[in-house]
């Protein structure tokens, strides 16, 4: 079975967020335990598994995502990576429809090589900062929002871009403060540099201390910053060591996430499912 490593939300290798992608030929997924073993072996923030569905239904492929520690409800960068593999290998053209734990998702390929994901917008709800959050994160929150069931993070606004870039969290302490993790964000110091806001994502509760570029987090960042900046179409920079750009377009209950992807490894899984 072919296994590919794809760098997502970037147009050059060794940046963005790497994801494992396995396209299954079966009509159903193997046991979750087996999928988890493979994802743990791959040891990236997410490994995506997809199998084709019968023609004529609401979706073309069934899709699941696993971190090295657990299955997750939603993952943007591994969905982008999966769509990239489907299009570059000729398994799909135009728009691909996926069914996943968070509902129906689509990925549309464009002539310039970018892909646009259509994801549900996170239902933001303002929340009080939990006791100890500032100490665990290493910065005082300006505001805190819950991101809802499928994202499962706390969106934490901090003072400025320099604060986001300088964060050095206490990951062991951070686990206690969200179902999945913490998204730290601030407005860009200089939007002329090509992005409107910055973020970093910390998810130690699912085995990822810091995620390089988190597509699902941008379903919360998009409505948050669109409300503050007065525009529905924005660009976010996730300021991790690898970094990546996500173009976000708020469309009511749906958020469009656009980016590039690059396959960097194409190999063979030498085991049975």
């Amino acid at each position: 079975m072919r296994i590919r490593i794809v760098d997502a939300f970037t147009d050059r290798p060794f940046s963005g967020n790497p994801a494992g992608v396995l396209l299954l030929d079966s009509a159903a997924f193997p046991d979750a335990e087996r999928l988890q073993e493979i994802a743990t072996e791959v040891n990236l923030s997410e490994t995506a598994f997809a199998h084709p569905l019968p023609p004529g239904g609401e979706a073309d492929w069934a899709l699941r995502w696993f971190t090295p520690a657990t299955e997750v409800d939603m993952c943007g960068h591994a969905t982008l990576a999966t769509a990239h593999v489907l299009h570059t290998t000729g398994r799909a053209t135009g728009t691909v429809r996926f069914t996943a734990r968070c509902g129906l998702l689509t990925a549309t390929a464009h002539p310039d090589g970018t892909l646009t994901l259509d994801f549900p917008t996170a239902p933001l709800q303002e929340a009080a900062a939990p006791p100890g959050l500032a100490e665990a994160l290493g910065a005082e929150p300006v505001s805190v929002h819950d991101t809802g069931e499928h994202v499962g993070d706390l969106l934490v606004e901090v003072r400025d871009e320099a604060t986001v870039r300088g964060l050095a969290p206490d990951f062991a302490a951070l686990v206690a403060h969200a179902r999945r993790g913490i998204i730290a964000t601030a407005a860009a110091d200089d939007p002329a540099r090509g992005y409107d806001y910055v973020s970093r994502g910390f998810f130690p509760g699912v085995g990822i201390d810091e995620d390089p570029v988190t597509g699902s987090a941008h379903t919360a960042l998009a409505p948050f910053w669109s409300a503050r900046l007065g525009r529905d179409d924005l660009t976010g920079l996730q300021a991790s060591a690898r970094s990546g750009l996500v173009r976000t377009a708020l469309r009511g209950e749906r958020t469009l996430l656009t980016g590039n992807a690059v396959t960097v490894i194409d190999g063979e899984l030498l085991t049975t499912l």
Side-chain angles (χ1 to χ4, degrees), residues 44-222:
L44 296 173
S45 56
E46 265 90 10
T47 298
F49 301 88
H51 72 76
L53 295 171
E58 69 170 5
D60 308 302
W61 291 78
L63 181 60
R64 294 171 75 173
W65 313 278
F66 288 76
T67 77
T70 190
E71 186 171 7
V72 295
D73 282 359
M74 181 188 291
C75 179
H77 87 278
T79 304
L80 189 78
T82 303
H84 170 78
V85 171
L86 287 169
H87 283 92
T88 56
T89 60
R91 301 286 297 270
T93 58
T95 297
V96 182
R97 302 167 301 166
F98 298 104
T99 183
R101 284 169 62 162
C102 59
L104 187 67
L105 311 172
T106 66
T108 301
H110 305 294
D112 65 357
T114 60
L115 292 153
T116 296
L117 307 179
D118 183 328
F119 270 46
T121 301
L124 295 182
Q125 183 173 352
E126 192 165 4
L133 174 62
E135 293 76 11
L137 184 60
E140 194 67 36
V142 173
S143 68
V144 177
H145 288 75
D146 186 272
T147 60
E149 176 186 2
H150 291 304
V151 177
D153 299 331
L154 284 183
L155 178 64
V156 180
E157 181 188 8
V158 297
R159 183 178 58 187
D160 54 23
E161 180 175 334
T163 301
V164 172
R165 291 182 179 274
L167 291 173
D170 179 342
F171 294 114
L174 212 59
V175 170
H177 295 297
R179 295 187 302 280
R180 186 181 73 161
I182 302 294
I183 309 162
T185 189
D189 286 346
D190 181 9
R193 297 172 68 183
Y195 54 90
D196 301 291
Y197 57 89
V198 295
S199 67
R200 289 173 68 190
F202 309 110
F203 311 107
V206 293
I208 308 160
D209 283 349
E210 180 166 5
D211 194 37
V213 190
T214 314
S216 59
H218 286 76
T219 68
L221 290 161

